[in-house]
Amino acid sequence: MSYTDGFVAAVPANGKSEYLEFAKKAAVIFKDFGALTVVENWGDDVPEGKVTDFHRAVQVKENEIVVFSWITWPDKATRDAGWEKVMSDPRMNDENNVMPFDGKRLIYGGFENILDV
């Protein structure tokens, strides 16, 4: 069964095109190293909860939008090897490919897929 990395970030609301440009460059690199899909979603209907929510998870500030993303891999072994290659790829450290958001507030994790219908 495939494996998924999930991400939630707070991105400046006026930085959608900059974020998309960054994401497109990163997607090419991830796919070069085995990712099946890279999906980016710009927050549109992200309600604030009473106990917890996406906004609190990434400490959204005024004029920021929640972005929800995932990368699907064929399996965990491909993901682990892919991430190692991605992190050492010079394109990820290119001064023209800087994260257009506060990476300290990014939340992420790897997930074993248990249902895919």
Side-chain angles (χ1 to χ4, degrees), residues 26-78:
V28 168
I29 299 168
F30 280 104
K31 293 200 73 168
D32 283 350
F33 296 119
L36 299 173
T37 60
V38 177
V39 179
E40 299 287 344
N41 300 278
W42 191 259
D44 177 58
D45 183 14
V46 185
E48 292 185 23
K50 293 183 179 184
V51 177
T52 190
D53 57 38
F54 283 113
H55 297 267
R56 288 183 203 145
V58 292
Q59 300 173 0
V60 168
K61 297 177 181 174
E62 189 174 336
N63 297 318
E64 288 184 328
I65 296 293
V66 173
V67 172
F68 176 57
S69 310
W70 65 87
I71 302 171
T72 306
W73 303 87
D75 51 54
K76 188 173 190 302
T78 304

Side-chain angles (χ1 to χ4, degrees), residues 7 15 17 30 41-43 55-56 62 66 80 83 87-88 91 105-106 108:
F7 310 88
S17 60
F30 280 104
N41 300 278
W42 191 259
H55 297 267
R56 288 183 203 145
E62 189 174 336
V66 173
D80 291 347
W83 265 105
M87 296 314 292
S88 65
R91 294 173 292 176
R105 292 184 285 142
L106 171 73
Y108 60 91

Side-chain angles (χ1 to χ4, degrees), residues 1-7 68-73 75-76 79 107-114:
M1 176 106 13
S2 58
Y3 194 85
T4 301
D5 284 313
F7 310 88
F68 176 57
S69 310
W70 65 87
I71 302 171
T72 306
W73 303 87
D75 51 54
K76 188 173 190 302
R79 177 262 199 173
I107 61 172
Y108 60 91
F111 300 86
E112 175 185 352
N113 293 350
I114 60 172

